[in-house]
């Protein structure tokens, strides 16, 4: 008997057949039967979202279930309250199933005239496409909300997962260690020693080590401008260092001539007396 997908439908419909007033009633009765098959139990009508604990559970539709323009039915499943809402609009029946503990909602929409052929008779005459309709009820209305955990369960599961499976490397507050000096950037292990530890700091011991190592400045490196070496170097000062007409003794030892192919240094002005001064007379 249990292998028959329609087992129990005839009995359910017989209990409400005298109450059927319109085609949407057939749809709601069929949805109710699908809920009962999945373990839901009816506890009355209305949209009260609290439980008193003494609700009477039943497999039958409650008295007055289709007395209003819209449908509001209350169910219990796994000790949780569910409220079924049915709204008729523009030839459609919009059905929502809400879990009151966290307001999770599943829904389905049914075109009334395409779904219900007549309001009495066998299932084939009532709902010609009942197999597809059963599939949609199971997929969209029931399984969607049953398989969805409550918000409290989601929070506890997420907290447990993050506590047990978090890796210290995934911690966003973890401070990454500073790589050791001299480590090759391409080396994935930043804590490995340099490949040749003996060469670390060697350039600081050789003032003329290429490319210009050490702490002593070499003015005669290939990159140095010998023609204009700068302050304190034989050959003169940079252009503009001595104002025009000023008396100035060039730096460097006397008698040092210009380098081959270079212009001569400026003349020594000591052989001219200073203007208005006869101390050299």
């Amino acid at each position: 008997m249990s292998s028959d997908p329609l087992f129990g439908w005839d009995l359910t419909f017989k209990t409400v057949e005298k109450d059927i007033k319109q085609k949407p009633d057939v749809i709601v009765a069929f949805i109710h039967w699908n809920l009962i098959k999945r373990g839901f139990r009816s506890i009355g009508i209305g949209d009260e979202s609290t439980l008193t604990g003494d609700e009477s559970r039943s497999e039958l539709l409650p008295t007055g279930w289709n007395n209003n323009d819209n449908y509001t039915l209350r169910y219990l499943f796994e000790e949780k309250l569910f409220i079924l809402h049915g709204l008729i609009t523009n030839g459609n029946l919009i059905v929502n199933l809400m879990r009151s503990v966290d307001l999770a909602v599943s829904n389905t929409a049914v075109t009334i005239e395409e779904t219900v052929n007549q309001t009495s008779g066998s299932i084939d005459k009532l709902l010609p496409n009942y197999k597809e309709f059963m599939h949609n009820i199971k997929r969209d209305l029931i399984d969607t909300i049953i398989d969805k955990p409550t918000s409290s369960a989601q929070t506890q599961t997420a907290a447990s997962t993050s506590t047990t499976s978090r890796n210290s490397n995934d911690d966003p507050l973890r401070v990454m260690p500073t790589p050791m000096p001299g480590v090759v950037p391409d080396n994935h292990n930043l804590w490995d020693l340099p490949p040749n530890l003996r060469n670390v700091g060697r350039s600081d011991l050789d003032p003329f080590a290429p490319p210009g190592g050490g702490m002593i400045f070499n003015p005669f490196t290939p990159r140095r401008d010998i023609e204009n070496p700068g302050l304190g170097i034989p050959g003169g000062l940079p252009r503009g260092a001595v104002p025009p007409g000023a008396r100035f003794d060039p730096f460097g030892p006397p008698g040092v001539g210009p380098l081959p192919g270079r212009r001569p240094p400026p003349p020594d002005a000591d052989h001219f007396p200073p203007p208005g001064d006869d101390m050299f007379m």
Side-chain angles (χ1 to χ4, degrees):
M1 291 187 299
S2 60
S3 60
D4 183 5
L6 292 175
F7 177 76
W9 163 248
D10 290 337
L11 180 61
T12 299
F13 186 70
K14 286 297 181 182
T15 61
V16 298
E17 186 174 10
K18 64 182 184 301
D19 299 326
I20 299 296
K21 304 174 183 178
Q22 54 183 346
K23 289 183 176 180
D25 292 349
V26 178
I27 297 175
V28 173
F30 194 70
I31 292 176
H32 165 83
W33 171 71
N34 279 271
L35 291 173
I36 296 301
K37 286 184 59 177
R38 292 298 298 271
F40 287 77
R41 291 297 179 264
S42 174
I43 59 173
I45 62 176
D47 56 1
E48 177 60 42
S49 59
T50 59
L51 295 173
T52 61
D54 58 353
E55 288 82 5
S56 177
R57 309 182 187 194
S58 174
E59 297 181 3
L60 303 177
L61 279 165
T63 302
W65 62 275
N66 59 345
N67 286 346
N68 300 321
D69 294 336
N70 298 318
Y71 305 89
T72 308
L73 305 175
R74 304 172 78 221
Y75 293 89
L76 278 179
F77 178 76
E78 295 181 349
E79 304 305 321
K80 296 182 179 64
L81 174 64
F82 289 79
I83 300 177
L84 181 75
H85 294 273
L87 175 64
I88 301 173
T89 174
N90 296 327
N92 298 316
L93 178 64
I94 310 299
V95 183
N96 296 330
L97 184 62
M98 183 186 70
R99 185 170 55 200
S100 62
V101 67
D102 58 354
L103 303 182
V105 177
S106 62
N107 58 78
T108 186
V110 183
T111 303
I112 298 173
E113 292 298 329
E114 294 180 2
T115 305
V116 183
N117 188 35
Q118 59 187 44
T119 59
S120 63
S122 64
I123 187 67
D124 296 315
K125 294 180 180 180
L126 293 171
L127 306 166
N129 297 321
Y130 69 89
K131 293 181 180 179
E132 180 181 356
F133 189 26
M134 285 182 64
H135 174 73
N136 294 339
I137 294 173
K138 178 180 181 297
R139 180 193 62 191
D140 300 333
L141 196 65
I142 301 178
D143 289 350
T144 301
I145 198 167
I146 288 180
D147 296 339
K148 182 188 299 182
T150 60
S151 57
S152 59
Q154 288 177 326
T155 303
Q156 294 174 359
T157 302
S160 175
T161 302
S162 62
T163 302
T164 56
S165 63
R166 175 179 293 178
N167 190 311
S168 60
N169 293 331
D170 298 332
D171 189 351
L173 300 179
R174 179 174 179 263
V175 179
M176 295 300 295
T178 304
M180 295 180 62
V183 176
V184 180
D186 295 335
N187 188 359
H188 297 290
N189 188 356
L190 298 181
W191 289 105
D192 282 349
L193 293 175
N196 190 352
L197 188 61
R198 293 176 300 175
N199 291 330
V200 175
R202 178 175 294 274
S203 60
D204 291 340
L205 304 178
D206 185 357
F208 300 105
M215 295 179 290
I216 301 178
F217 175 67
N218 179 14
F220 298 104
T221 59
R223 293 173 295 177
R224 185 68 180 171
D225 185 5
I226 301 299
E227 181 180 3
N228 190 14
L231 183 65
I233 304 302
L237 296 174
R239 296 183 182 90
V242 180
R247 179 178 177 180
F248 181 77
D249 290 337
F251 289 96
V256 177
L259 295 176
R262 305 288 183 175
R263 65 176 182 270
D268 188 350
D270 284 348
H271 62 283
F272 292 110
D277 188 353
D278 57 354
M279 63 178 295
F280 292 97
M281 300 300 292

